[in-house]
Amino acid sequence: MDLNYTPEDIAFRKHVQTWLEQNLPKTEIRTLEERRAWHRKLYEAGYLGMGWPKEYGGGGARPMEQAIVADEMARANAPAPTNSLGLGIVGPTIVVHGTDAQKRRYLKKILTAEELWCQLYSEPNAGSDLAALKTSAVDQGDHFVVNGQKIWTSGGKIADWGLLLARTDTKVAKHKGISCFLMNMRQPGVDVRPLKQITGSSEFCEVFMTNARVEKSDQIGKLGEGWAIAQTTLGYERGGRALARITNYASHFSRLVGAAKRMRRHGKPLIEDPVVRQKLGRIWSEIEVERYQALRTLTLLERGEHPGAGGSLTKLSYSELEKRFMELALEILGPYGQLIEGAPEEFQLEVETAVAEQGSWAYAYLWSRAGTIYAGSSEIQKNVIGERILGLPKETRADRVGGKA
Amino acid sequence: MNFSFSDDQILLKNSVRAALDEQCKPAHVRAMFDDARGYGPELWGEMAKLGWLGLPFPEEQGGADLGLVELALVIEEMGRAAYPGPFFATVVLGGLGIMLGGSPAQKDKWLSAIASGKARATAALLEEHLDWDPASITATAAKSGSGWTLSGLKRFVPWAHVADVVVVPARSPEGLSLFLVDPKASGVTLKPMVGIDLASRWSEMRLDKVPVGADALLGQAGTAGPLLDSLLRRAAVMSSAEMLGAARRCLDMSVEYAKVREQFGQPIGSFQAVRHRCAEMLLEVENAHAAVYYAAWALTAGAEDAAIASSICKSYVSEAARRVCGDSIQVHGGIGFTWEYDLHLYMKRAKALEPLYGDTEYHRELIARHVTSSR
C-alpha cells in the first residue's frame, strides 16, 4: 500500500498541466465547430481515446494516465471534448465487440469528432426494465428495417450515428431477443426531437424511427447478443473520471465555503454557525472518502482488473453523494442558490464547462437529480449489488412467472 | 500509487483471522463477561508468540517495526471477533503513547515487556466533562522532591484494572505533561464502569496525591499537547478499524441470514426492501474500509493530510458502523434482538467505540476548522 503517486505519474501530470496552460481556449467555446476544434486539439495531444488500441488511433495509455488527464482538465476548468458517448460508450463497445472492418470504419472518426454519436437504449416503457424494449429490427436480407421510439438520448440532436438496441426475435425470453446495431442518424426514417428537462435545457432527445435502415455490416456481435453487450458497455468508463469528479466537487466546495463566509445569520458570519460547520465537515468527509475510493478503483484498473459489479457501488455512492452535496449547497445559499440569473459573482458557481454544463448552483442542484436515474437508477444499482456482489437471491418477478425468462 | 494490501499484509490478516476463529469464538467472548480479569491469559500468550503485541514497536524492543496499516488489519479482525481483552489499550493507548514520547530507558522497559506479553498498559485520556481536547485536562501534577504527586479524576480508562502502567496526562507547573502511573500505587482508586459491551472494560481512576518518581515523566514536562494529539489520532483511526471489523461481521451475518430466512414462501433477501438495505450496508462498509486504510497509511507515511484524514476516518466510520450494526438487527428481526444470538456482541463493540477518541461531531468540527481556514 503506497498512496503516493509515482515519479512518472507526477511528471506526466506536470506535462498535462503545462499543455493545458499553453493550449486552453482563450475565449469561451460557443459553437459546435469551436468545440470540435478543441476536441481535435485534445486528440492530437494524445488526450482522447487514451486507452484504445494504437492501431485504431488510440493511445494505449494506462488508466492512471487517463484519470490524470481528466483530473487536470477538471482542475483547469477546461472545456469538455464533444462526442462524450462516442468516447465513453460506443468506441469501447466497438473495441471489444466490433469486427476489424467496423473498428477501421468507425473508431478514428469518433476520436477526431468527424462523426458524433448517441446511444439508443431507453424507451418510454423500457427504463429500468431495459430488456422490455420494443423497437424492432427486421431482417430484410441485405439490411434491417427499424421501427420504434427511443428516449433520453443524450446528444441526439447533433449525432451522426447511434448505438442501437433493438428486438430481433419476439419468440424467445425478452433479454435473449435483443441485438446491437450501429445506425446512421442522418436518414429520412429517423426523427429527433429535443426533450426539455426540469433544468429548462435540452441535453436529451426523443428519437422516432420509422422504417429506418441499418446495414447488415453494422450489426455488432451476433443476433441475440445485444443484452450481453449492453451489460458490458454500461460498465465502461467508471474509472476514467474517478479523480476528475472529486476535483469538481472540491472546487464547488471551495465556492460554497467562500459564500458561507460572506453570509450572516443572527448577526454572525454563517461560517461560525456550528450547525453549518457540522454539515460542511460532513460533506467534505464524504467527498474525501469518495477520493479514497477512486484510488482503490484506479489500483484495480492499473492491474488490468475490471471493477465489474463494483462499478455499481461507485455509481451509487457518488450519485447519491452529489444529491446530498447540492441539497446542502442550496440550504446554505438560501435564495441565492436558486438564481439562474442575477447572482452576484461570489454566489455563483463557476461556469462548469468541463462537463459541458451551465454554471449556476441552481442548475447543478437540478442536474443532481438526474444522476441517480440515468445509467441505471440507484434502485437498479442496489439490485445489482445485492445479487452480484452479495449473492442474495433474485426476486420473483411477474415477467418471469411461467419460466419464460 | 497502490491502494491494496501486499501479500505479507494479506498473510497477516489471514493468520489473525484463523487464530481468532479458533481461539476467540463467541463462546469465549461470552465466557469473559463474568471473568474477573475479562480476558484469557492463554490467548494473550499466543498473541505475544505470534508477534501481535509488539507489532508496531521497534525491533530493539522486541517489536516487528510494522506500520499502522498492519496494526489496523489486526485490530479490524479483533472487531470482527469482538475480542475481549486489553490489546487495544496495551498496544495502541499505552504502547504507542510510550513509543511516541518515551525515553530510551522507558521504551526498553515497557515496550519490551508489552511485546513479550509480560505487561499490559493503557492511557487515561478522558475526564468527567468528556472533552477530548488535551487543553481541557484538569488533573494536576505538583512537584514533590525529584518527582511529582498526581491528583485528579479520570473516567472511561480502558482495562485499567489489569494494567501494569497507565499513561496519565496532568498539568505540572510547566504545563500539560504525561506521566507513567502504576494503577496499584497508593492513592490510586479504581472503580469499574460497566457499559453495554461486557467484553470491554472501563474504570474510573481517582488519583489522590499519587507520588511518582522523576522517571515517570513521559517526554518533556509541559509539551504533552502535540504528543496527545498524535496519540489521539492513532487511537481514532485504530478504533475505527475495530468498528469496521464489527460492522463487516454484522453485514456478513445479515447477508447469510437473508439468504436462508424465508417468509411469504421465499428468502427475505429476495425482497428489495431487505436487499437494498444490505446493498447500502455494503456501501457503508466499503467506504469505511477506504477511510480506515487511507488514514492508517497517511499516519504511517507522515502524509500532509494525515491529521484531517484521521478526523474524516473517525467521523465517517463511527456513523457508518452505527448504521450498519443497527441495520443488521433490523434485517434479522426478532432473533437479532435476543441475547443468545451473537449479533449484539459486534453491535455493542462498535457502539462502545463510537464516542471514544473524539465522536463524530468532535471530528467534524476539526474538519470544518481545516476546510474553512484553507479556503
Side-chain angles (χ1 to χ4, degrees), chain A residues 5-305:
Chain A
Y5 291 98
T6 63
E8 293 77 37
D9 288 339
I10 292 168
F12 181 69
R13 194 182 273 279
K14 267 260 172 307
H15 178 76
V16 177
Q17 280 168 0
T18 311
W19 188 88
L20 285 169
E21 276 164 28
Q22 290 167 357
N23 291 281
L24 267 188
K26 305 281 180 284
T27 53
E28 197 188 329
I29 287 179
R30 291 180 193 280
T31 67
L32 180 57
E33 279 323 298
E34 286 169 356
R35 195 171 289 280
R36 266 193 225 259
W38 168 240
H39 181 114
R40 288 204 186 102
K41 211 165 182 183
L42 284 168
Y43 174 59
E44 281 153 18
Y47 297 154
L48 296 181
M50 293 178 70
W52 299 12
K54 280 188 172 165
E55 50 181 318
Y56 302 113
R62 289 185 298 118
M64 180 55 94
E65 291 170 326
Q66 301 171 50
I68 286 172
V69 168
D71 191 29
E72 285 305 320
M73 285 183 64
R75 208 177 304 278
N77 207 14
T82 183
N83 219 6
S84 61
L85 285 164
L87 294 169
I89 303 282
V90 182
T93 302
I94 296 176
V95 167
V96 176
H97 302 285
T99 63
D100 184 61
Q102 288 168 338
K103 289 177 193 175
R104 294 195 186 287
R105 163 64 188 84
Y106 293 110
L107 290 178
K108 184 72 184 280
K109 289 188 173 178
I110 291 173
L111 294 172
T112 57
E114 272 172 82
E115 288 172 345
L116 305 184
W117 284 77
C118 65
Q119 182 186 13
L120 303 162
Y121 279 21
S122 295
E123 295 182 8
N125 289 313
S128 285
D129 187 9
L130 183 60
L133 62 89
K134 287 199 169 62
T135 293
S136 66
V138 177
D139 193 339
Q140 299 290 327
D142 63 335
H143 69 282
F144 290 89
V145 166
V146 179
N147 281 285
Q149 183 194 347
K150 295 290 176 176
I151 196 170
W152 303 116
T153 310
S154 318
K157 276 180 298 186
I158 55 170
D160 305 298
W161 286 86
L163 180 69
L164 172 74
L165 288 184
R167 186 161 304 284
T168 46
D169 190 343
T170 53
K171 293 185 188 64
V172 293
K174 62 180 187 178
H175 63 276
K176 288 180 182 156
I178 297 170
S179 303
C180 183
F181 303 98
L182 312 176
M183 186 180 78
N184 192 333
M185 298 289 284
R186 311 287 188 191
Q187 58 170 308
V190 176
D191 181 22
V192 182
R193 299 178 202 165
L195 189 79
K196 196 167 181 180
Q197 307 136 203
I198 62 169
T199 55
S201 55
S202 298
E203 275 86 1
F204 298 108
C205 298
E206 291 178 289
V207 177
F208 296 83
M209 290 150 294
T210 315
N211 296 324
R213 184 184 169 105
V214 168
E215 302 306 324
K216 277 265 160 106
S217 58
D218 287 333
Q219 178 186 319
I220 297 280
K222 295 198 182 78
L223 284 182
E225 284 184 352
W227 180 251
I229 292 169
Q231 292 300 299
T232 57
T233 58
L234 286 172
Y236 293 146
E237 284 294 295
R238 288 279 194 248
R241 277 193 47 78
L243 294 175
R245 192 178 297 119
I246 316 305
T247 299
N248 274 331
Y249 293 160
S251 142
H252 293 0
F253 185 82
S254 292
R255 299 284 301 169
L256 185 60
V257 169
K261 283 181 174 174
R262 286 175 178 84
M263 299 168 73
R264 300 177 79 81
R265 179 185 287 160
H266 299 304
K268 282 188 295 206
L270 195 57
I271 199 71
E272 289 172 19
D273 183 319
V275 176
V276 169
R277 296 173 71 79
Q278 284 290 312
K279 290 181 175 179
L280 285 171
R282 173 185 192 144
I283 221 73
W284 181 248
S285 310
E286 294 186 4
I287 292 171
E288 277 290 275
V289 168
E290 214 60 48
R291 184 172 70 85
Y292 308 156
Q293 288 288 35
L295 297 177
R296 275 175 95 187
T297 303
L298 279 168
T299 297
L300 273 183
L301 293 171
E302 284 278 290
R303 285 202 305 233
E305 294 171 33

Side-chain angles (χ1 to χ4, degrees), chain A residues 1-6 9 64 250-251 253-255 257-258 261 271 274 276-286 288-300 302-303 312-314 316-318 320 324 378-387 389-397, chain B residues 1-6 9 69 248 251 254-256 258-259 266-272 274-280 282-283 285-295 297-298 301 303 305 308-313 315-316 319 323 360-362 364-365 367-375:
Chain A
M1 187 174 293
D2 179 4
L3 303 179
N4 288 313
Y5 291 98
T6 63
D9 288 339
M64 180 55 94
S251 142
F253 185 82
S254 292
R255 299 284 301 169
V257 169
K261 283 181 174 174
I271 199 71
V276 169
R277 296 173 71 79
Q278 284 290 312
K279 290 181 175 179
L280 285 171
R282 173 185 192 144
I283 221 73
W284 181 248
S285 310
E286 294 186 4
E288 277 290 275
V289 168
E290 214 60 48
R291 184 172 70 85
Y292 308 156
Q293 288 288 35
L295 297 177
R296 275 175 95 187
T297 303
L298 279 168
T299 297
L300 273 183
E302 284 278 290
R303 285 202 305 233
S312 289
L313 275 173
T314 307
L316 175 66
S317 190
Y318 77 71
E320 291 290 340
R324 289 193 297 276
S378 291
E379 287 72 16
I380 291 295
Q381 305 300 347
K382 288 178 196 172
N383 278 347
V384 171
I385 294 163
E387 285 172 18
I389 302 180
L390 297 175
L392 290 168
K394 284 186 196 294
E395 65 194 310
T396 308
R397 295 195 326 213
Chain B
M1 198 286 298
N2 174 14
F3 198 165
S4 64
F5 298 126
S6 68
Q9 286 166 338
V69 171
R248 205 182 273 283
L251 167 66
S254 300
V255 170
E256 288 318 303
K259 286 177 188 171
Q266 47 189 311
I268 59 169
S270 68
F271 298 121
Q272 291 194 355
V274 174
R275 183 151 33 127
H276 287 191
R277 191 187 288 276
C278 290
E280 286 160 15
L282 176 67
L283 177 59
V285 166
E286 289 301 329
N287 281 351
H289 173 102
V292 164
Y293 289 99
Y294 185 94
W297 171 82
D305 62 344
I308 183 153
S310 308
S311 286
I312 287 170
C313 171
S315 64
Y316 192 94
E319 280 200 346
R323 267 200 296 270
T360 294
E361 283 73 23
Y362 177 87
R364 280 203 186 128
E365 171 56 26
I367 296 162
R369 282 179 203 174
H370 176 86
V371 297
T372 56
S373 67
S374 63
R375 277 175 179 79

Side-chain angles (χ1 to χ4, degrees), chain B residues 197-212:
Chain B
D197 177 13
L198 295 172
S200 291
R201 300 291 172 92
W202 291 319
S203 293
E204 176 183 284
M205 181 180 186
R206 194 175 288 278
L207 298 118
D208 185 15
K209 300 198 183 77
V210 179
V212 297

